[in-house]
Amino acid sequence: MPDAAARIRNANPDPVFASYSHLSRLFTSESVTEGHPDKIADQISDAVVDAVLKDDPQSRVACETLVTTGFALVAGEITTESRLHIPELVRRTIRAAGYTRGEYGIDADSCEVLVKLDEQSPEIGAAVDEAREKGKPLGAGDQGMMFGFACDDTPELMPAPISAAHALVRRLSAARRSGEIPWLRPDGKSQVTFEYGDNWRPRRIGTVVLSAQHEEGLTHARIRDELAEKVVRPALAGFAAGEDAETVYHINPSGSFVRGGPHGDAGLTGRKIIVDTYGGFGRHGGGAFSGKDATKVDRSGAYAARWAAKNLVASGAVFRCEVQLAYAIGVAEPVQVWVDSFGTAASGLGDGELSRAVREVFDFRPESIIRDLGLAAPVFGPTAAFGHFGRAPGTVEAGGREIRLFGWERIDRVNELRLALGL
């Protein structure tokens, strides 16, 4: 394969569809770094969730954050026994994202922080807790529909476009944090277009877009060449359906990108829900994850649906599927559990049979999801950047107890599903 930097240097600046010589199906997904303004807001909101759950696992949190030039606002509803110092949480998160100098437009140590938090509505609290008080399972914290998706595009059973987009921004962030590329600043975005074959198998990468915030005084040629060699090439090297001689690259296509982060755009919690999930590959119920404790099924239901979908694909019953859940506020049992296999189910299996098996193997009541996935612990901070799905599950030690991270990514119900399906 030609040198990546040389191919990017010589790329057609206005390719349109020139890179798709065997045009079939195209799909594009994007991702952003932890320094993107919306992701700073998500990280602050989840820092609050983790802080209250650390000392009081029964806490209820619905926390929203807004960030802009020199300013952060935290608002919402919290019911907890924990003692919090929200401004310090905010500053710590902004500092960790890389905003430590006034010239960046927001500085963790000097920015203004405003906190407007109330207790959770007693009506919502009563709807959730009433069943428990009667000895019944915890009710759902709200109505809504959630979707979980999985496919065999990648080893982590995620769609290839969002996996590649995440890989680019993770590598971009690592190059900044390590000092490998010293002129990088915290904000950045990626976008990857894959060409798929007729059977929805990824065939090749058609277009790569990467925009990286940088310090002043750099030539575009230097930015392009260093990012090509130190970010694009290593990030995409592991994809089986990857770059080729016709792949088109747009690196910092707008030219200069000095002003970024909250100084360039205001950031809000929950404004990157497609980045958080499957990059648009699969449906979304519309509810954001960050800033919510697990009684809110927007979050826990979506995690459980991904858990079920991933295990279904791993079982060999399907090579692509979407698990759909829906809840009524205050009611523990979901009002809907349905699997859409998109016609990829093993011979003899219909969507009805898949749905029956999933409902038999997985307990989708909120209390059971919280127990099975370990969601009453401070596990949410790591989810707030680089996607909630496709991450490696693991455990960490915190406060003398073992905490499970990304428990919904475990492949641990395959045998039960195969048995339920007669495979």
Side-chain angles (χ1 to χ4, degrees):
M1 181 182 291
D3 175 76
R7 287 189 291 110
I8 293 171
R9 257 195 314 272
N10 298 324
N12 182 348
D14 188 20
V16 192
F17 289 108
S19 66
Y20 305 107
S21 55
H22 305 289
L23 188 61
S24 181
R25 294 174 174 175
L26 307 178
F27 202 91
T28 302
S29 296
E30 70 163 354
S31 187
V32 298
T33 66
E34 76 275 42
H36 186 281
D38 293 331
K39 278 288 131 195
I40 295 173
D42 284 342
Q43 290 168 90
I44 291 171
S45 293
D46 272 340
V48 173
V49 176
D50 278 357
V52 298
L53 291 177
K54 178 176 179 290
D55 297 321
D56 180 8
Q58 304 302 318
S59 297
R60 301 295 166 77
V61 191
C63 175
E64 315 292 341
T65 303
L66 177 148
V67 291
T68 188
T69 304
F71 176 76
L73 166 67
V74 179
E77 300 80 43
I78 297 181
T79 301
T80 184
E81 298 297 322
S82 297
R83 296 173 64 89
L84 298 177
H85 186 60
I86 301 293
E88 179 51 37
L89 287 174
V90 172
R91 296 185 192 285
R92 189 186 311 153
T93 305
I94 293 173
R95 188 179 302 115
Y99 291 98
T100 56
R101 298 165 65 180
E103 66 188 81
Y104 293 170
I106 188 168
D107 175 10
D109 294 318
S110 62
C111 66
E112 180 185 0
V113 178
L114 184 62
V115 179
K116 293 290 184 181
L117 291 170
D118 294 314
E119 287 195 351
Q120 182 187 51
S121 160
E123 294 165 314
I124 295 175
V128 174
D129 292 328
E130 185 177 0
R132 174 178 278 172
E133 291 168 359
K134 295 179 179 179
K136 298 179 181 179
L138 185 77
D142 202 352
Q143 69 174 47
M145 60 281 190
M146 301 85 218
F147 297 89
F149 186 85
C151 63
D152 63 357
D153 283 7
T154 61
E156 61 271 23
L157 304 185
M158 287 286 285
I162 188 64
S163 287
H166 285 326
L168 282 167
V169 291
R170 280 198 304 268
R171 177 63 192 141
L172 185 66
S173 177
R176 175 183 65 84
R177 289 179 176 277
S178 69
E180 182 182 359
I181 305 180
W183 45 262
L184 284 172
R185 289 183 177 178
D187 200 356
K189 301 180 74 172
S190 67
Q191 184 174 284
V192 182
T193 300
F194 269 77
E195 180 180 340
Y196 280 78
D198 291 336
N199 60 353
W200 275 110
R201 297 292 188 180
R203 178 183 288 166
R204 56 182 290 273
I205 294 175
T207 302
V208 176
V209 182
L210 184 65
S211 295
Q213 187 188 15
H214 58 85
E215 66 181 34
E216 293 185 90
L218 301 176
T219 66
H220 187 265
R222 179 182 176 185
I223 294 169
R224 178 194 60 206
D225 291 351
E226 283 200 54
L227 291 180
E229 187 63 32
K230 297 178 180 180
V231 176
V232 176
R233 194 172 192 178
L236 299 181
F239 287 83
E243 306 159 277
D244 60 24
E246 294 184 348
T247 300
V248 171
Y249 303 86
H250 297 289
I251 294 185
N252 278 33
S254 66
S256 177
F257 183 11
V258 173
R259 181 170 172 167
H263 190 40
D265 289 291
L268 292 169
T269 300
R271 210 161 55 175
K272 285 291 177 284
I273 59 175
I274 301 302
V275 171
D276 285 343
T277 52
Y278 309 101
F281 222 127
R283 285 162 281 205
H284 197 297
F289 301 157
S290 291
K292 297 175 182 175
D293 72 88
T295 65
K296 281 72 171 175
V297 284
D298 280 339
R299 184 167 217 161
S300 55
Y303 289 174
R306 161 66 177 172
W307 183 32
K310 187 174 184 180
N311 276 269
L312 260 182
V313 173
S315 76
V318 295
F319 69 77
R320 179 181 308 278
C321 75
E322 185 176 71
V323 174
Q324 309 170 19
L325 305 177
Y327 292 87
I329 187 169
V331 179
E333 290 285 350
V335 301
Q336 173 196 316
V337 178
W338 185 255
V339 176
D340 189 341
S341 68
F342 307 104
T344 71
S347 178
L349 290 178
D351 289 352
E353 184 69 7
L354 294 168
S355 303
R356 180 201 58 77
V358 163
R359 193 155 197 162
E360 179 180 317
V361 170
F362 293 89
D363 187 343
F364 292 116
R365 294 174 297 178
E367 196 163 13
S368 300
I369 296 171
I370 292 168
R371 178 198 65 215
D372 293 342
L373 300 183
L375 302 183
V379 300
F380 299 113
T383 69
F386 310 119
H388 293 242
F389 306 123
R391 312 283 290 273
T395 58
V396 295
E397 190 75 21
R401 57 175 172 159
E402 188 176 75
I403 293 176
R404 187 187 309 156
L405 297 178
F406 298 100
W408 50 94
E409 292 295 316
R410 290 176 298 151
I411 298 174
D412 58 354
R413 299 291 176 92
V414 166
N415 291 337
E416 292 95 324
L417 284 169
R418 291 182 63 84
L419 182 64
L421 292 166
L423 295 176

